[in-house]
Amino acid sequence: MGKVILSGYIDIPENELKIVTTALEQHIELTREEVGCIVFEVTQSTDIPNRFNVYEEFVDKSAFELHQTRVKASHWGQVTTNVKRNYSIEEQNI
């Protein structure tokens, strides 16, 4: 079993940008505190203001799945229901 890497971006509807960006700081903090989180970066695009680039690394599939479950039940999960996600997920076998 190996590390899981998620990379891509999210596009936030313009009328929801403020509420989502307000919730982002706590989402990043909570995720970085999760057991198994190696890297978690979310950065706003310099070209497209409502696009945020996402890069995540988790130690294994189990840690990644726990993260996904937590996120769905979180405040972040609630405020990002209309966000368009464009990700690729890769498992690296060690």
Side-chain angles (χ1 to χ4, degrees), residues 3-44:
K3 161 165 81 167
V4 174
I5 298 172
L6 178 148
S7 60
Y9 60 88
I10 59 174
D11 285 331
I12 302 168
E14 195 162 328
N15 65 331
E16 296 179 17
L17 192 57
K18 183 174 174 78
I19 191 167
V20 173
T21 55
T22 300
L24 180 58
E25 186 176 332
Q26 182 184 33
H27 174 57
I28 292 170
E29 183 179 320
L30 290 173
T31 300
R32 288 179 178 167
E33 292 174 356
E34 290 177 18
V35 173
C37 178
I38 301 169
V39 177
F40 189 79
E41 297 292 335
V42 182
T43 54
Q44 190 169 15

Side-chain angles (χ1 to χ4, degrees), residues 35-89:
V35 173
C37 178
I38 301 169
V39 177
F40 189 79
E41 297 292 335
V42 182
T43 54
Q44 190 169 15
S45 169
T46 55
D47 300 326
I48 305 170
N50 64 323
R51 178 169 290 174
F52 287 73
N53 299 306
V54 180
Y55 182 81
E56 308 175 7
E57 289 185 20
F58 287 86
V59 294
D60 59 24
K61 188 174 183 177
S62 177
F64 178 74
E65 288 174 350
L66 285 171
H67 165 70
Q68 293 297 312
T69 299
R70 183 196 64 79
V71 167
K72 287 177 185 169
S74 72
H75 176 66
W76 175 258
Q78 294 170 5
V79 300
T80 60
T81 55
N82 296 322
V83 166
K84 292 183 181 172
R85 293 163 168 84
N86 185 342
Y87 300 140
S88 66
I89 300 171

